[in-house]
Amino acid sequence: MQPVSDNDLILFHFRDGLDAVRMAEIEAALSASDRLRARQDRLRRLFEGVDAEVPEPSANFEQRLWARLDQRMAKLSPAPRSKPGIAARLRDFLHSGIPFRLAWVGSLAALMIAVGVGYFAGRSSVPEPIAMVPSSAPTMASRMLDSYVAGHLRATEGLLLTAVNDEGGGLLKDNRELASGLVESNRLYAMAAARAGNTRLADFLRQLEPVLIEVANQPGGSSVEDTQGLRNFLRDTDLLFQVRATESRIDAESKRSL
Amino acid sequence: MSEAEAHWMARARDGDALAFRRLVEAHARPLYGLCARITRDSALAEDAVQEALFNAWRHLSSFDGRAVFKTWLHRIAVNAALEQLRRRGRREVAIDLPDEDEEFLDAVAEELAGPDRQALGSEIHRQVETQLDRMSMIERTAFVMRHQEGNSLEEISDTLSLSTNACKQAIFRAVRKLRSALEPLR
């Protein structure tokens, strides 16, 4: 057998770049020789020293990163063919350079406007024998609400997909803030839908709320077992399908009303 | 690719910037770690992550799903980090070691007892940092990709446009330079 060089030991350590015969020879040589094992141990110690510190970025790294990136991406994006819709503008707002938490505060403020619109839509849908309500008002209000709800359902769908696929529990932990935001907006949309007389949508949104609360309240160190119940629930029910179906229905209705 | 990742990928390919953010935001810090290890400079590393994500956004349509998305992203980041080093005119610090040091692992002292070894830990780490600085960017990149990223020699040679043998040699040289970190144990 050829003597085992340091280079052989390095490749053996990485289990790469050696054929199976040479790997087996080194394996056997390591079992037989204390001196060779000591050399291998020195190599391992050297690598431990390299792994000792993980480089961490300075404070506000993500904010700096996305502030610049959003600007560059926006410049690169082709000019929209037509005036962007409300949903698109809401999305633009959410991924602008504003820190994510602030973006949620902003979007909640926008949601309050939507509730107002929903309220108006609910009121104006009652027949008024004397004063004529402009016929475009309920349609516009309804479309506005639809756009917001469609965006909300897209975000909810993403969150639920994350929950379904989160085998280790780590992804859900990172999404608690998002889930809390969605709980708040879900309540507002349910109210707005009820006001607008859309009981079907209001009921569906109310049905979503306990699941969003469950995701928002997942403890920080959730074990796989802790999150298993939620995953099982989502897999066993058709909630995710219903979210997608409702989202598609709203999108289709919005397009028809244009 | 997970269902969630596929969902965000499809939306991002349609030009949805928010979906792209959802797709890559969990990767930003690991990418920073990778770029910082290659550039040895936090400002360059941040710029490299910025460029990497921007390039990923521009070329998202070319991601064919054959590689894992994370691997694809990390390869872009490696090239972005190297590009940052080239732009800033970082010179290669290729310090060749004499041939007689080929079997350097034999030359260091025997194993020390636990407490003594612990006391030397920080000194070894400091030495490792110094030696990483002494490597050429190809040596360091090949080593970081193989050791810390777990890329195969083939993947490294693809990314760095080097032969597999040249990648091996770069890694060997990198490890040999690191040997000085074990000097305190002599």
Side-chain angles (χ1 to χ4, degrees):
Chain A
M1 186 188 97
Q2 277 187 335
V4 179
S5 68
D6 282 350
N7 289 349
D8 287 332
L9 276 182
I10 291 166
L11 294 177
F12 181 80
H13 175 85
F14 292 132
R15 302 289 192 274
D16 194 8
L18 293 172
D19 60 34
V21 175
R22 187 63 178 152
M23 289 284 283
E25 282 177 356
I26 296 173
E27 188 93 60
L30 279 166
S31 304
S33 165
D34 288 345
R35 192 158 164 266
L36 190 60
R37 277 201 303 279
R39 278 169 63 198
Q40 192 198 28
D41 187 55
R42 283 166 208 136
L43 183 67
R44 184 184 50 75
R45 211 162 55 219
L46 191 66
F47 289 156
E48 280 172 6
V50 180
D51 295 334
E53 199 171 297
V54 179
E56 283 292 328
S58 54
N60 304 320
F61 161 66
E62 275 90 357
Q63 282 93 327
R64 284 194 302 278
L65 175 70
W66 286 104
R68 282 175 60 197
L69 205 53
D70 282 335
Q71 279 179 4
R72 296 177 73 190
M73 285 163 63
K75 277 183 195 166
L76 189 74
S77 299
R81 287 190 200 95
S82 57
K83 199 178 169 189
I86 291 158
R89 274 182 277 155
L90 177 62
R91 280 200 299 274
D92 287 347
F93 173 72
L94 282 172
H95 59 73
S96 66
I98 302 165
F100 208 55
R101 228 175 258 176
L102 286 179
W104 268 110
V105 172
S107 61
L108 278 177
L111 301 186
M112 292 301 291
I113 296 167
V115 171
V117 169
Y119 178 76
F120 171 71
R123 299 269 297 182
S124 57
S125 63
V126 177
E128 292 281 348
I130 302 168
M132 288 295 288
V133 176
S135 61
S136 63
T139 311
M140 194 188 80
S142 167
R143 274 170 47 196
M144 220 174 134
L145 179 62
D146 282 353
S147 297
Y148 281 120
V149 173
H152 168 71
L153 290 176
R154 271 195 288 278
T156 302
E157 183 192 346
L159 182 78
L160 297 182
L161 277 171
T162 304
V164 168
N165 292 297
D166 188 19
E167 299 291 337
L171 293 173
L172 267 186
K173 188 186 73 182
D174 297 337
N175 280 284
R176 278 184 299 171
E177 193 181 337
L178 171 65
S180 298
L182 289 175
V183 170
E184 295 301 319
S185 48
N186 196 70
R187 280 181 191 151
L188 288 167
Y189 289 132
M191 278 168 57
R195 290 275 189 195
N198 191 342
T199 48
R200 185 179 167 197
L201 179 61
D203 288 346
F204 175 68
L205 292 171
R206 286 193 199 105
Q207 189 192 333
L208 269 182
E209 187 173 321
V211 181
L212 291 172
I213 291 173
E214 180 72 19
V215 178
N217 292 323
Q218 288 290 315
S222 297
S223 65
V224 176
E225 290 76 18
D226 290 336
T227 56
Q228 189 64 47
L230 177 63
R231 287 207 308 277
N232 287 343
F233 172 78
L234 290 171
R235 281 174 184 155
D236 296 344
T237 63
D238 62 350
L239 192 64
L240 196 49
F241 171 76
Q242 284 185 52
V243 171
R244 284 176 180 150
T246 308
E247 188 188 326
S248 304
R249 183 172 55 77
I250 291 173
D251 274 342
E253 281 170 5
S254 295
K255 279 174 191 154
R256 268 201 304 276
S257 69
L258 284 175
Chain B
M1 179 177 279
S2 71
E3 203 180 337
E5 218 170 38
H7 168 81
W8 294 121
M9 172 69 77
R11 289 199 182 283
R13 277 181 163 160
D14 283 344
D16 185 338
L18 185 57
F20 177 71
R21 182 168 175 166
R22 290 299 305 265
L23 183 66
V24 301
E25 63 187 351
H27 296 284
R29 277 178 179 256
L31 288 180
Y32 173 86
L34 167 63
C35 295
R37 280 177 164 130
I38 293 172
T39 60
R40 314 285 300 154
D41 181 296
S42 86
L44 288 185
E46 275 202 27
D47 286 348
V49 176
Q50 171 80 215
E51 286 306 314
L53 292 182
F54 186 59
N55 286 336
W57 167 249
R58 286 168 61 203
H59 301 293
L60 206 54
S61 58
S62 71
F63 175 70
D64 56 13
R66 275 184 297 180
V68 176
F69 180 63
K70 178 187 159 191
T71 309
W72 183 75
L73 212 50
H74 278 222
R75 283 179 66 172
I76 294 176
V78 168
N79 283 311
L82 290 172
E83 183 56 29
Q84 288 299 316
L85 286 173
R86 288 186 195 110
R87 275 191 202 170
R88 305 286 171 103
R90 291 290 170 104
R91 281 184 303 155
E92 298 262 345
V93 192
I95 301 166
D96 281 331
L97 298 167
D99 288 344
E100 58 267 27
D101 285 333
E102 187 64 34
E103 302 304 321
F104 65 91
L105 290 170
D106 238 359
V108 294
E110 294 302 314
E111 183 80 35
L112 290 178
D116 290 336
R117 192 173 149 187
Q118 266 191 346
L120 283 167
S122 59
E123 175 58 17
I124 291 172
H125 177 62
R126 196 182 63 76
Q127 290 284 345
V128 162
E129 292 297 308
T130 307
Q131 296 312 318
L132 283 166
D133 279 336
R134 286 180 66 194
M135 291 175 193
S136 73
M137 67 184 187
I138 291 297
E139 287 165 1
R140 191 165 52 242
T141 305
F143 176 73
V144 166
M145 287 185 77
R146 181 54 272 204
H147 180 63
Q148 272 148 338
E149 293 287 299
N151 293 124
S152 68
L153 287 167
E154 229 168 69
E155 288 169 332
I156 300 168
S157 69
D158 275 354
T159 308
L160 299 180
S161 301
L162 293 173
S163 69
T164 309
N165 205 40
C167 287
K168 273 188 201 175
Q169 294 306 321
I171 293 168
F172 295 155
R173 284 198 303 274
V175 179
R176 282 177 64 201
K177 284 178 183 174
L178 283 173
R179 76 190 173 141
S180 305
L182 291 176
E183 289 292 315
L185 292 180
R186 274 184 192 270

